Amino acid sequence: MAGNSFGTLFRVTTFGESHGAAIGAVIDGVPPRLPLDEAPIQAALDRRRPGQSRFTTQRREPDRVRILSGVFEGRTTGSPIALEIENTDQRSKDYDEIRDKFRPGHADYTYWVKYGIRDHRGGGRSSARETACRVAAGAVATLVLGPAITIRGALIQLGPHRIERARWDWAEIGRNPFFCPDPVAAADWADWLDGVRKAGSSAGAVIELVADGVPAGLGAPVYDKLDGDLARALMTINAVKGVEIGEGFAAAALSGEDNADEMRIGADGRPVFLANHAGGILGGISTGQPIVARFAVKPTSSILTPRRTIDIHGRETEIVTKGRHDPCVGIRAVPVGEAMMACVLADHLLRQRALAGSVPDGP
Amino acid sequence: MAGNSFGTLFRVTTFGESHGAAIGAVIDGVPPRLPLDEAPIQAALDRRRPGQSRFTTQRREPDRVRILSGVFEGRTTGSPIALEIENTDQRSKDYDEIRDKFRPGHADYTYWVKYGIRDHRGGGRSSARETACRVAAGAVATLVLGPAITIRGALIQLGPHRIERARWDWAEIGRNPFFCPDPVAAADWADWLDGVRKAGSSAGAVIELVADGVPAGLGAPVYDKLDGDLARALMTINAVKGVEIGEGFAAAALSGEDNADEMRIGADGRPVFLANHAGGILGGISTGQPIVARFAVKPTSSILTPRRTIDIHGRETEIVTKGRHDPCVGIRAVPVGEAMMACVLADHLLRQRALAGSVPDGP
Amino acid sequence: MAGNSFGTLFRVTTFGESHGAAIGAVIDGVPPRLPLDEAPIQAALDRRRPGQSRFTTQRREPDRVRILSGVFEGRTTGSPIALEIENTDQRSKDYDEIRDKFRPGHADYTYWVKYGIRDHRGGGRSSARETACRVAAGAVATLVLGPAITIRGALIQLGPHRIERARWDWAEIGRNPFFCPDPVAAADWADWLDGVRKAGSSAGAVIELVADGVPAGLGAPVYDKLDGDLARALMTINAVKGVEIGEGFAAAALSGEDNADEMRIGADGRPVFLANHAGGILGGISTGQPIVARFAVKPTSSILTPRRTIDIHGRETEIVTKGRHDPCVGIRAVPVGEAMMACVLADHLLRQRALAGSVPDGP
Amino acid sequence: MAGNSFGTLFRVTTFGESHGAAIGAVIDGVPPRLPLDEAPIQAALDRRRPGQSRFTTQRREPDRVRILSGVFEGRTTGSPIALEIENTDQRSKDYDEIRDKFRPGHADYTYWVKYGIRDHRGGGRSSARETACRVAAGAVATLVLGPAITIRGALIQLGPHRIERARWDWAEIGRNPFFCPDPVAAADWADWLDGVRKAGSSAGAVIELVADGVPAGLGAPVYDKLDGDLARALMTINAVKGVEIGEGFAAAALSGEDNADEMRIGADGRPVFLANHAGGILGGISTGQPIVARFAVKPTSSILTPRRTIDIHGRETEIVTKGRHDPCVGIRAVPVGEAMMACVLADHLLRQRALAGSVPDGP
């Protein structure tokens, strides 16, 4: 309970169910006098919006964001910024058939056990629709971070198929429906995911996030480490099952020598690292290198293939989830992951300012 | 700043540096009238204690815990429980040679940038010595969880070498110096790690944690999901670079059908899952199945092999970290991981009680 | 910053400016399956609504509340409850004349210094309009508290004129426009306040709150004492300058003997107190007696009498605040105070349940 | 539970019982590189220390503070500062006679109801001994505030006897055992309190706190208002029953004109207020004027006069509290109040820095 907020100084609270009146976010702690209107938030939402290709749900949500407070004459005032998105395309009837059944892999059963009441329409609060609010908040966080910090995400694995890192090209991200930086992989994936979709199955994915321009010194030991906060932020995205920083799980197999990011003095007289196995974070604090995080998304649980389950009356049954679902929710998780990283960094940027009066830029 | 606490209702605050006067923890929110003295805390600390085999640091720390408050006549009072461990074996001189150098892979550089001051003796606050406080807090959390919930950890990968899961035997954990559940792997690892140690190198590891007996219904959507809190708790342990739940990163490669944990009604009339790909958590809430988490620990950064680095004066130099270090910090991370999981579960157990007046046990 | 939330488990976040698009509240932590629709919230808002007598502002706000989330088929779901109230009667032009001037006694100057930007229309976020959200949240808190706990407030002093406590009759509260429990005082006050209003002046007030039926055992030592949380909650209401519990400031003048609330065993075998100087709280924990709190509201700062001030350009000037203002904001502070007390008690009720699994009812 | 911490960025956690092994505090969020050793903390503790005159308890507590962490080579490191004070003069036997009885006016009964267990020795956690930790934390907060901000407290009422404000002289504070700024009153009080003490009775008091040099702009609307946080901080001090800011309760009787703090431009071109009825806070944010708060302390509950009470077995009985008690706990509450104000201001100073990168100093 009381789990619908995150952040310490840049603090986001969200609300809303998949098929309720509206969803929204209240963003507290935004410094005053920053230029803001609906446009950048809407642009961020549009990147996540469903129905943009055959690989995402055909549910049509215009997802029109409205700023209710906290902005006056085009600038933030320091007051909480409330954002609202009305729910419009609510085909609740799609869910009537499954209203008493627990969909395997969904939160249906656990919400039922915990709350003893169930909003069966599209998952209610546990719906991925909630991630629209994260994306909206992320757009505001981006404003707080300023133009020197950029956060980009890419799909690096779809189902069992990984990209070839040597072909990485950020410019490709916008040219395919997968946020994929490898044009060859993107083409292969399109065929493969078509097959998955037609088979009534679904696929998982791995997303990589990179934040450039983050100054050294962000993060708060010991339990508010930057990587700890990132891990939590990403793990709370629907369907995420793993998070790693820098080398991640692969670090376990490296030797101490190979994993060390050695240091030298650069041509400009400032410290440089000769590698970035650490993913830009040491001891929970940013090093000034790019921050690299990855997270794994499980395959969409709503599939057309029948699965065995039970219902709320304790009877055994089968379930087929028709509705309109993404064959791979991992695709639309890319802008969501970017947004969560932006929120975490914005929070730590403000925290660092509290500590030092400014953000450090090296020794 | 203000990052030395965690938990909402079961709340732990720790303090202390590697070579200061003492380290300790204040544990707030412990329900009253639970039987407690130093013994179970000391037993937990002893499992983590260094110097117990040639595979852990030879630094000798008796790590005698003392309860300063919160316990009266052998029972908790509801007041904060303060625990203190004096630092005794402080060979600070070991660190004189490196007092101005940044050890690659350590927090030396980031603390310096962030704070502009450095306690070079053994890493100060960033030292793994801090994890003793986590273990002490975990022992109190275990008391709150009660005997029906058990949490066990195992090393499942040392460097590049994984266990054979078919040989998993929890009883083996206590029979080798690695917390390894596979006796064959344990024997191999001993030889291999000896080689690593003698070569002045170090190794990483992967740890698996399993919590049995956790009732369904623990966890708080949306941002305080049980897996989100676990991810944060484990990622904040020193040297951890990745966390996963259930299938984790492997889930990305599964099909929707294969990843679904189907449900049936068991012989006792209660719901049963036919698999546990989810690792016991759906929608951020426990399912009643075992909770399974894994985390990856990078190789110890303090190695005898010289590495290139710089110093606080901006000069290029080399570094060899002599001191007395674990060739694999992942080994002693096993009880630390167990403790963090216990703290997270204790917190959510109390939170669930607040919501419902009791812990649920099914629909 | 990030100061627009309060409560630990029953947690309220509000947003909105006096003359923005809407104001609202997100209430997190409400237990599931409680019956709820707009009606009781609307009823609470109607008690606070302006324009109901000549002693409150003539600004007409229908203050229609809309539940956006957290309620399904007439019952709470455990998800955050978002409430929205559109702003309709926004005569912003009233404020054009004073847009650059700091109104003495208002937050105009301090917001300007702190944020460097000013929403001059009706005070923006600092407007008493924000208290509508407190009242809405209080209605939900009342639901959490259940019917056994009742919270009532009364105006016991208007300007310099106090009620006669011997004439106290709760039934009178609804019969006069002052929430005054003393019919004689109420009649006198009407004449007196008419004079104040016509003179272009304003008056302060003192409000007393009484919570009956609160079980013993609520409150959390040491810094989350029930009276500490009440003091904060009441002091944050606009224009409040003092808070006291039980005897309050008068306790300073009593002897130890006179101030002691002696105890006996009642006819039903349960403890009884022979007095309630403590106001129902000892050591920060409820005693089971009525909880009694009082708070003082300063006279409305917006008055027709010209006052000397400066403007944002650093020039000396005079100000007359026309607009439509309450001659005594203390009157409408009565339901606001009740709401804040309800929120604090609901939070501590849930906290106690977390500690003990239930709310205690005696030794 | 979990109620033993306060503050957002400057965060204090305390522990310890009156007759346990030790009491202490962990102070998190202190910026690095501030000069600190035990001396200023000890000096603050000495001001509060009992046994310094016949008007405070004769319990002798050397109250030797020891810094356990967070300071290296005489400067803060940014790590949590743990302070410990051993309990030495523990005459627990004094309390044997009352171990089963509830002392009227104490937390004995409420702790018993809430926790079902009682540390009868000197009140356990509810003892005023806990306030030593507040004073220690306040000394660290003072360091964070810097020399430009000064906080001073004075006893302005003892029992029913008030000072004459026209005789206020801060220099008198250190010349009498009452922290009284009025030398005439101090002399009268000595005689009067002697009588109270000899009669086995006790007296209450009112304390006034003044913070000079606080910049405008500190405080966070809406629920984290500076006065709201002060009210909570002061109300949580043992035996406090009322808090007010500026005019406080007297504001209710003023007219809007009289209460307005008009503004002009001063000789230095900066804004000046012509009065300070607001007590230095408007809209929850500091104005730059002195911050003025007052709090009322009830008469000591431990008195020699027999009072009727009950015991834990539900039997009616009488009680006489022998022990060694202050005839007026309000006296030693002066440094405690100063400390709490310092902690609140330090927290808001850091919060303001997070918002703006610096502390503002006017428009």
Side-chain angles (χ1 to χ4, degrees):
Chain A
M1 66 198 311
N4 295 280
S5 299
F6 67 96
T8 297
L9 292 181
F10 180 86
R11 187 155 178 85
V12 177
T13 300
T14 71
F15 61 87
E17 288 83 42
S18 178
H19 288 67
I23 59 173
V26 182
I27 307 163
D28 205 359
V30 179
R33 300 190 308 278
L34 300 174
L36 183 66
D37 60 19
E38 276 93 351
I41 306 171
Q42 191 62 53
L45 286 170
D46 290 347
R47 283 188 75 219
R48 174 205 163 275
R49 196 173 53 195
Q52 304 196 97
S53 83
R54 66 186 184 280
F55 304 116
T56 56
T57 172
Q58 293 310 301
R59 178 171 165 170
R60 272 195 208 90
E61 297 161 345
D63 277 0
R64 244 336 102 196
V65 71
R66 188 176 160 222
I67 297 176
L68 298 182
S69 68
V71 176
F72 181 59
E73 298 180 342
R75 290 191 300 163
T76 60
T77 62
S79 291
I81 298 171
L83 306 174
E84 188 182 62
I85 304 168
E86 300 250 346
N87 284 328
T88 51
D89 182 26
Q90 305 166 14
R91 287 176 27 191
S92 303
K93 267 184 246 163
D94 281 1
Y95 297 95
D96 278 358
E97 198 183 334
I98 59 165
R99 65 178 301 154
D100 290 347
K101 297 179 182 178
F102 301 123
R103 291 170 297 169
H106 275 275
D108 296 344
Y109 174 70
T110 52
Y111 269 61
W112 177 255
V113 172
K114 187 175 187 78
Y115 297 112
I117 184 173
R118 181 178 163 203
D119 181 350
H120 63 276
R121 305 162 307 163
R125 182 68 180 149
S126 71
S127 164
R129 179 142 180 74
E130 174 268 331
T131 59
C133 296
R134 301 179 186 236
V135 169
V140 179
T142 300
L143 183 72
V144 173
L145 292 174
I149 297 177
T150 57
I151 297 170
R152 291 179 291 187
L155 210 71
I156 61 168
Q157 182 180 332
L158 181 73
H161 306 294
R162 299 191 185 184
I163 62 158
E164 177 60 60
R165 298 187 80 92
R167 286 195 294 260
W168 190 300
D169 177 2
W170 281 111
E172 287 296 325
I173 296 289
R175 296 189 191 125
N176 60 67
F178 302 107
F179 300 102
C180 176
D182 170 357
V184 180
D188 294 346
W189 290 357
D191 291 339
W192 182 80
L193 194 58
D194 262 335
V196 167
R197 187 169 54 86
K198 285 170 188 163
S201 182
S202 63
V206 177
I207 291 96
E208 182 163 317
L209 302 169
V210 181
D212 287 293
V214 178
L218 301 198
V222 176
Y223 307 113
D224 291 0
K225 282 175 173 153
L226 186 55
D227 38 1
D229 280 6
L230 282 171
R232 177 194 170 205
L234 297 175
M235 190 66 94
T236 64
I237 299 173
N238 303 44
V240 172
K241 300 304 285 184
V243 179
E244 54 184 22
I245 305 292
E247 285 290 335
F249 277 86
L254 293 179
S255 71
E257 305 89 88
D258 288 345
N259 189 59
D261 297 330
E262 296 179 297
M263 300 185 76
R264 296 280 86 179
I265 298 295
D268 61 354
R270 296 176 58 82
V272 289
F273 288 89
L274 305 183
N276 189 14
H277 298 284
I281 302 174
L282 284 173
I285 302 171
S286 62
T287 63
Q289 292 184 282
I291 293 178
V292 181
R294 273 177 301 281
F295 62 101
V297 179
K298 69 179 180 183
T300 312
S301 299
S302 296
I303 50 176
L304 286 169
T305 311
R307 295 284 90 189
R308 289 173 289 176
T309 191
I310 62 172
D311 66 18
I312 61 173
H313 310 295
R315 290 181 303 226
E316 299 190 337
T317 182
E318 284 209 336
I319 194 163
V320 172
T321 314
K322 285 172 189 161
R324 294 159 296 168
H325 302 286
D326 294 81
C328 175
V329 287
I331 301 170
R332 292 204 287 136
V334 174
V336 181
E338 293 169 345
M340 294 309 285
M341 188 178 248
C343 290
V344 169
L345 289 174
D347 193 33
H348 278 281
L349 194 88
L350 298 181
R351 293 176 72 168
Q352 173 60 18
R353 219 151 70 175
L355 183 77
S358 64
V359 175
D361 50 13
Chain B
M1 63 198 312
N4 295 280
S5 300
F6 66 98
T8 297
L9 292 181
F10 181 87
R11 188 156 177 84
V12 177
T13 300
T14 71
F15 62 86
E17 288 83 44
S18 178
H19 289 67
I23 60 173
V26 181
I27 307 164
D28 205 359
V30 179
R33 300 189 309 278
L34 299 173
L36 183 66
D37 60 18
E38 276 92 351
I41 306 170
Q42 191 63 53
L45 286 170
D46 289 349
R47 282 188 76 218
R48 176 206 160 274
R49 196 172 56 194
Q52 303 194 97
S53 83
R54 68 187 182 279
F55 303 116
T56 56
T57 172
Q58 293 309 300
R59 177 171 165 169
R60 268 194 213 92
E61 297 162 344
D63 276 359
R64 244 337 101 195
V65 70
R66 187 177 160 221
I67 297 177
L68 298 181
S69 68
V71 176
F72 181 58
E73 297 179 345
R75 291 191 298 163
T76 60
T77 61
S79 290
I81 298 172
L83 305 174
E84 187 183 65
I85 304 168
E86 300 250 346
N87 285 327
T88 51
D89 183 26
Q90 306 166 10
R91 289 177 25 190
S92 303
K93 268 185 242 160
D94 281 0
Y95 297 95
D96 278 359
E97 198 184 334
I98 60 165
R99 66 178 300 156
D100 291 347
K101 297 180 183 177
F102 301 122
R103 292 170 296 169
H106 275 276
D108 296 346
Y109 174 70
T110 52
Y111 269 62
W112 176 256
V113 172
K114 187 175 187 76
Y115 298 112
I117 184 174
R118 181 177 164 203
D119 181 350
H120 63 277
R121 305 163 307 164
R125 182 66 181 150
S126 71
S127 164
R129 179 144 178 72
E130 174 269 330
T131 59
C133 296
R134 300 179 187 236
V135 169
V140 179
T142 299
L143 182 72
V144 173
L145 291 175
I149 298 176
T150 58
I151 296 169
R152 291 179 291 188
L155 210 71
I156 61 167
Q157 181 180 331
L158 181 73
H161 305 295
R162 299 192 185 182
I163 62 158
E164 177 61 60
R165 296 188 81 90
R167 286 195 294 259
W168 190 298
D169 178 2
W170 281 112
E172 287 297 325
I173 297 289
R175 297 190 189 126
N176 60 67
F178 301 108
F179 301 102
C180 177
D182 170 355
V184 179
D188 294 346
W189 291 358
D191 290 341
W192 182 79
L193 194 57
D194 263 336
V196 167
R197 187 169 54 87
K198 285 170 188 162
S201 183
S202 64
V206 176
I207 291 97
E208 183 163 315
L209 301 169
V210 181
D212 287 293
V214 178
L218 302 197
V222 177
Y223 307 113
D224 291 359
K225 283 176 172 153
L226 186 55
D227 37 1
D229 280 6
L230 282 171
R232 178 195 171 203
L234 297 175
M235 191 65 95
T236 64
I237 300 173
N238 302 43
V240 172
K241 300 304 284 184
V243 178
E244 54 183 20
I245 306 292
E247 284 291 335
F249 277 86
L254 293 179
S255 71
E257 305 89 88
D258 289 346
N259 189 59
D261 298 329
E262 294 179 298
M263 301 185 75
R264 298 280 87 181
I265 299 296
D268 60 353
R270 296 174 59 82
V272 290
F273 289 88
L274 305 184
N276 189 14
H277 297 286
I281 302 174
L282 285 173
I285 302 172
S286 61
T287 63
Q289 293 185 280
I291 292 177
V292 181
R294 272 177 301 282
F295 61 100
V297 179
K298 69 179 181 183
T300 313
S301 298
S302 296
I303 50 177
L304 286 168
T305 312
R307 295 284 90 187
R308 289 172 291 176
T309 191
I310 61 172
D311 66 18
I312 60 174
H313 310 295
R315 289 180 304 224
E316 299 190 338
T317 181
E318 283 207 339
I319 194 163
V320 172
T321 314
K322 285 172 190 162
R324 294 159 296 168
H325 301 287
D326 293 82
C328 174
V329 287
I331 300 170
R332 293 204 287 135
V334 174
V336 180
E338 293 169 344
M340 293 309 284
M341 188 179 248
C343 290
V344 169
L345 290 174
D347 192 32
H348 278 282
L349 194 89
L350 298 181
R351 291 176 73 168
Q352 173 59 19
R353 218 151 71 174
L355 183 77
S358 63
V359 175
D361 50 13
Chain C
M1 62 198 315
N4 295 279
S5 299
F6 67 97
T8 297
L9 293 181
F10 181 88
R11 188 156 177 85
V12 178
T13 301
T14 71
F15 62 87
E17 287 82 44
S18 178
H19 288 67
I23 59 173
V26 182
I27 307 163
D28 205 359
V30 179
R33 301 189 307 278
L34 299 173
L36 183 67
D37 60 18
E38 276 93 350
I41 306 171
Q42 190 63 52
L45 286 170
D46 289 349
R47 283 188 76 219
R48 175 205 161 273
R49 195 171 55 194
Q52 303 195 97
S53 83
R54 67 186 183 280
F55 303 117
T56 56
T57 171
Q58 292 311 300
R59 176 169 167 171
R60 273 196 209 91
E61 298 162 344
D63 276 0
R64 245 334 103 195
V65 70
R66 187 178 161 219
I67 297 177
L68 297 182
S69 68
V71 176
F72 181 56
E73 297 179 345
R75 291 191 298 164
T76 60
T77 62
S79 290
I81 297 171
L83 306 173
E84 188 183 64
I85 304 167
E86 300 251 346
N87 284 327
T88 52
D89 183 27
Q90 305 166 13
R91 289 179 23 193
S92 303
K93 267 183 243 161
D94 281 2
Y95 297 95
D96 277 359
E97 197 184 335
I98 60 165
R99 65 177 302 155
D100 291 348
K101 297 179 181 178
F102 302 122
R103 293 170 295 168
H106 276 275
D108 296 345
Y109 174 69
T110 53
Y111 269 61
W112 176 256
V113 172
K114 187 175 188 78
Y115 297 112
I117 184 173
R118 181 176 165 204
D119 180 350
H120 63 277
R121 304 163 307 165
R125 181 68 181 149
S126 71
S127 164
R129 179 143 178 73
E130 175 269 329
T131 59
C133 296
R134 301 179 186 237
V135 169
V140 179
T142 300
L143 183 71
V144 172
L145 291 174
I149 298 176
T150 57
I151 297 170
R152 291 179 292 188
L155 210 70
I156 62 169
Q157 181 180 331
L158 181 73
H161 305 295
R162 300 191 185 185
I163 62 159
E164 177 61 60
R165 297 188 80 91
R167 286 196 294 259
W168 191 297
D169 178 1
W170 280 112
E172 287 296 326
I173 296 289
R175 297 190 190 125
N176 61 67
F178 301 108
F179 301 101
C180 176
D182 170 356
V184 179
D188 294 347
W189 291 357
D191 290 341
W192 183 79
L193 194 57
D194 262 335
V196 168
R197 187 169 54 87
K198 285 170 187 163
S201 184
S202 63
V206 176
I207 291 98
E208 182 163 316
L209 301 170
V210 181
D212 287 293
V214 178
L218 301 198
V222 178
Y223 307 113
D224 291 0
K225 282 175 173 153
L226 186 56
D227 37 0
D229 281 6
L230 282 171
R232 177 196 172 204
L234 298 174
M235 190 65 95
T236 64
I237 299 172
N238 301 43
V240 172
K241 300 305 284 184
V243 179
E244 55 183 19
I245 305 292
E247 285 290 336
F249 277 85
L254 293 179
S255 72
E257 305 89 88
D258 289 345
N259 189 58
D261 298 329
E262 294 179 296
M263 300 183 77
R264 296 281 87 180
I265 299 295
D268 61 353
R270 297 175 57 82
V272 289
F273 289 89
L274 305 184
N276 188 15
H277 298 285
I281 301 175
L282 284 173
I285 302 173
S286 61
T287 63
Q289 294 184 281
I291 292 177
V292 181
R294 271 177 302 281
F295 61 100
V297 179
K298 70 179 183 184
T300 312
S301 298
S302 295
I303 50 177
L304 285 168
T305 312
R307 295 284 92 187
R308 287 172 290 174
T309 190
I310 61 173
D311 65 19
I312 60 173
H313 310 294
R315 290 181 302 228
E316 299 191 337
T317 180
E318 283 209 338
I319 193 162
V320 172
T321 315
K322 285 171 189 162
R324 294 158 296 167
H325 301 287
D326 293 81
C328 173
V329 287
I331 300 170
R332 292 204 288 137
V334 174
V336 181
E338 293 169 345
M340 293 310 284
M341 188 178 249
C343 290
V344 169
L345 290 174
D347 192 33
H348 278 281
L349 194 88
L350 298 181
R351 291 176 73 168
Q352 174 59 19
R353 217 149 73 173
L355 183 78
S358 64
V359 176
D361 51 14
Chain D
M1 65 197 311
N4 294 280
S5 299
F6 66 97
T8 297
L9 292 180
F10 181 87
R11 188 154 178 85
V12 178
T13 300
T14 70
F15 62 87
E17 287 83 43
S18 177
H19 288 66
I23 60 174
V26 182
I27 307 163
D28 206 359
V30 179
R33 300 189 308 277
L34 299 173
L36 183 67
D37 60 18
E38 276 93 352
I41 306 171
Q42 191 63 52
L45 286 170
D46 290 348
R47 282 189 76 219
R48 175 205 161 274
R49 196 172 54 193
Q52 304 195 98
S53 84
R54 68 186 182 280
F55 303 116
T56 56
T57 172
Q58 293 311 300
R59 178 171 166 169
R60 272 198 208 89
E61 298 161 343
D63 277 0
R64 248 328 105 201
V65 70
R66 188 178 160 221
I67 297 177
L68 298 182
S69 68
V71 176
F72 181 58
E73 297 180 342
R75 290 191 299 164
T76 60
T77 63
S79 291
I81 298 171
L83 306 174
E84 189 183 63
I85 304 167
E86 301 250 346
N87 284 328
T88 51
D89 183 26
Q90 305 166 12
R91 287 177 27 190
S92 303
K93 266 184 247 164
D94 281 1
Y95 296 95
D96 278 358
E97 198 183 332
I98 61 165
R99 63 177 303 153
D100 291 346
K101 297 180 184 178
F102 301 123
R103 293 170 295 168
H106 275 274
D108 296 346
Y109 173 71
T110 52
Y111 270 61
W112 177 254
V113 172
K114 187 176 187 77
Y115 297 113
I117 184 172
R118 181 176 164 203
D119 180 351
H120 63 276
R121 303 162 307 163
R125 181 68 180 150
S126 71
S127 163
R129 178 141 180 73
E130 174 269 331
T131 58
C133 296
R134 299 178 187 238
V135 170
V140 178
T142 300
L143 182 71
V144 172
L145 292 174
I149 297 176
T150 57
I151 297 170
R152 292 179 291 187
L155 211 70
I156 62 168
Q157 181 180 330
L158 181 73
H161 306 294
R162 300 192 184 182
I163 62 159
E164 177 61 61
R165 296 188 80 92
R167 284 195 295 258
W168 190 298
D169 178 1
W170 281 112
E172 287 297 325
I173 297 288
R175 295 189 191 127
N176 60 68
F178 301 108
F179 301 102
C180 176
D182 170 355
V184 180
D188 294 346
W189 290 357
D191 291 339
W192 183 79
L193 194 57
D194 263 335
V196 168
R197 186 168 55 86
K198 285 169 187 162
S201 184
S202 64
V206 177
I207 291 95
E208 182 163 317
L209 301 170
V210 181
D212 287 294
V214 178
L218 302 198
V222 177
Y223 307 113
D224 291 1
K225 281 175 174 153
L226 187 55
D227 36 1
D229 281 6
L230 282 171
R232 177 194 170 204
L234 297 175
M235 190 66 94
T236 65
I237 300 172
N238 302 44
V240 172
K241 301 304 285 183
V243 178
E244 55 183 19
I245 305 292
E247 284 292 335
F249 277 85
L254 293 179
S255 71
E257 305 88 89
D258 289 346
N259 189 59
D261 298 330
E262 295 179 298
M263 300 185 75
R264 297 280 88 181
I265 299 294
D268 60 356
R270 297 175 58 82
V272 290
F273 289 88
L274 305 185
N276 188 15
H277 298 285
I281 302 175
L282 284 173
I285 302 172
S286 61
T287 63
Q289 291 184 283
I291 292 177
V292 181
R294 274 177 301 281
F295 62 101
V297 179
K298 70 179 181 183
T300 312
S301 299
S302 296
I303 50 177
L304 285 168
T305 312
R307 295 284 94 188
R308 288 172 290 174
T309 191
I310 62 172
D311 66 18
I312 62 174
H313 310 294
R315 289 181 303 228
E316 299 191 337
T317 181
E318 284 209 337
I319 193 163
V320 172
T321 314
K322 287 173 187 161
R324 295 158 295 168
H325 301 285
D326 294 81
C328 175
V329 287
I331 300 170
R332 291 204 289 136
V334 174
V336 180
E338 294 169 344
M340 293 309 283
M341 188 178 248
C343 289
V344 169
L345 290 174
D347 192 33
H348 278 280
L349 194 88
L350 298 181
R351 292 176 73 168
Q352 173 58 20
R353 218 152 68 175
L355 184 78
S358 63
V359 176
D361 51 14

